[in-house]
Amino acid sequence: MIVVGGEALVDLVPGESKVDNDLTSLLPRLGGGPYNVALAAGRLGAPTAFLSRISRDRFGRALRERLTDSEVDISMVQSGGEPTTLAVVALDERGAASYAFYTEGTADRLVADPGPLPENVSVLCLGTLGMVLEPGATTYETMLRRESARGVLTALDPNIRADLIADADAYRERFLSWLPDVRLLKLSDDDAAWLAGGADPVTAAKGWLDAGVDAVVLTRGADGLAVHTGSAEITVPSERVEVVDTIGAGDTVQGALLAWLHQHNVRAITELGEPEWRAALAFAAKAAAITVSRSGAEPPKTEEMV
C-alpha cells in the first residue's frame, strides 16, 4: 500500500474571469499537494491511503468524500474541530498558478504521529505544507526517518511555497537533512533552483544524489520530465494539450509515478533501468497532460489513460 501524508485544503480558483483574477468569481476546489497525489495514485488503481488531520467542517466532509470516491483509504485520517486550510489561487496568462494561504489554527497542521505504519505499507510519500508548518512538519519528519529505516520506499515533493517559509536558509538546511532518508525526490525546476539558492537544477540534482537520494525527477513544464540517477539522465517530452491551468500537475506526476511503481511491483527504484524509467515518466507525463487540460486538480482515472 502507498501512504500519502500531508495537508488537505480548499483552493479558491478563479472562474470565467481567471486572467483578471476577479475575486468575485472564485470557485472552491478541493486540493492540497499531498491530497492531490493520493487522488492521482488512487484513481490510477494503486492501493492508497491518505494520512492527515481533516476538519469536521463542511469542506472537511467534502474532502473525505472525494477521497473515498477516488478509491483512497481514509482510515488513517484524523478529525479536528479546527477549520480547513484555504488557498486563494491566482493564474497568469499561461494558466500558471500562484497561491496565498490561510493556515493559522487549521486542522491539518495538528496531525498526530500514528506510530509505525502497517507492514503492508511499501511507500510513504510526503511534501508541500506538511513539511513546513509546525507541529505537523516535525511529525512527518519523524515518520520519514522511521519508515525509511525499516525499508519503506520514501518519496518527497517539497513543492515550495516560499511565502510560508519564514527562514529560507533554515528550511534549506532541514531539507538537506532529509535526503539520506529519501529514495525518490520529485520537484519542479523552479523548486530545485530555489532550494539550491539559484543554482542550476541539474547541478543541484547531482548534489542531492550524492547526499543519498536514489533518483531525482525534475518537472520542466512544457519541456517535459527528466530523471537523474547515479548512472543515467533520462528525459521524456510533455504531451501537447490546451492548458486550462497547471493546478495539480506536479502532484499528478508524483501520484502517477507511485502508481506505475506499484503496478510494476517495484520495491527499490535502483532496480530501474533506462527503458523502465522512460515508461514511468511517459505514464506520468500523460496523466499530467490530462490534469492540466481541466480546471483545478482533477487527476485522470485508469480508463482515461488508454
Side-chain angles (χ1 to χ4, degrees):
M1 174 178 281
I2 298 166
V3 172
V4 182
E7 75 280 359
L9 53 77
V10 171
D11 290 319
L12 299 177
V13 181
E16 292 183 2
S17 302
K18 64 181 181 180
V19 174
D20 297 328
N21 294 306
D22 180 3
L23 293 178
T24 64
S25 68
L26 291 176
L27 304 173
R29 293 287 185 267
L30 306 176
Y35 183 87
N36 295 334
V37 171
L39 288 182
R43 290 182 179 186
L44 292 172
T48 304
F50 188 57
L51 170 62
S52 187
R53 191 169 189 270
I54 295 180
S55 175
R56 290 189 289 269
D57 65 14
R58 184 177 179 183
F59 286 141
R61 293 193 296 272
L63 286 162
R64 288 182 182 82
E65 182 177 350
R66 190 172 188 228
L67 286 167
T68 56
D69 287 347
S70 298
E71 307 298 328
V72 177
D73 182 346
I74 62 170
S75 61
M76 295 184 187
V77 170
Q78 304 162 19
S79 294
E82 304 80 13
T84 298
T85 297
L86 299 177
V88 178
V89 182
L91 301 173
D92 66 16
E93 64 278 359
R94 298 175 293 110
S98 59
Y99 302 83
F101 292 94
Y102 297 84
T103 63
E104 190 63 35
T106 52
D108 47 17
R109 65 191 301 173
L110 300 176
V111 64
D113 187 348
L117 296 177
E119 288 298 318
N120 67 335
V121 174
S122 57
V123 177
L124 173 65
C125 179
L126 302 170
T128 318
L129 306 187
M131 302 301 284
V132 175
L133 300 176
E134 296 290 4
T138 294
T139 298
Y140 289 123
E141 180 179 286
T142 298
M143 291 179 60
L144 173 70
R145 300 194 193 286
R146 182 175 62 226
E147 298 304 315
S148 175
R150 75 178 186 91
V152 169
L153 195 164
T154 49
L156 175 69
D157 180 1
N159 206 2
I160 297 300
R161 303 293 184 243
D163 289 347
L164 287 179
I165 299 175
D167 187 333
D169 289 338
Y171 179 85
R172 291 181 179 113
E173 290 182 11
R174 192 174 189 182
F175 165 76
L176 291 174
S177 79
W178 299 330
L179 298 185
D181 294 304
V182 174
R183 306 279 62 80
L184 173 63
L185 176 64
K186 195 284 296 180
L187 68 175
S188 69
D189 269 354
D190 288 344
D191 287 349
W194 187 92
L195 283 164
D200 172 68
V202 174
T203 301
K206 292 177 179 177
W208 297 331
L209 291 170
D210 291 340
V213 177
D214 289 337
V216 179
V217 172
L218 294 175
T219 62
R220 306 182 302 168
D223 293 326
L225 305 176
V227 63
H228 300 263
T229 70
S231 59
E233 298 178 11
I234 302 158
T235 62
V236 301
S238 294
E239 293 208 0
R240 301 301 175 184
V241 295
E242 183 175 345
V243 176
V244 174
D245 64 51
T246 62
I247 300 170
D251 307 326
T252 299
V253 167
Q254 185 78 319
L257 286 173
L258 298 181
W260 191 95
L261 293 172
H262 169 77
Q263 291 162 6
H264 292 81
N265 199 31
V266 176
R267 293 304 183 104
I269 56 177
T270 52
E271 301 171 0
L272 300 179
E274 182 173 343
E276 292 83 12
W277 272 118
R278 287 195 182 279
L281 293 178
F283 182 78
K286 182 170 186 174
I290 295 172
T291 297
V292 301
S293 70
R294 303 166 171 171
S295 176
E298 283 292 346
K301 298 180 180 179
T302 301
E303 56 267 27
E304 297 177 271
M305 294 289 289
V306 294

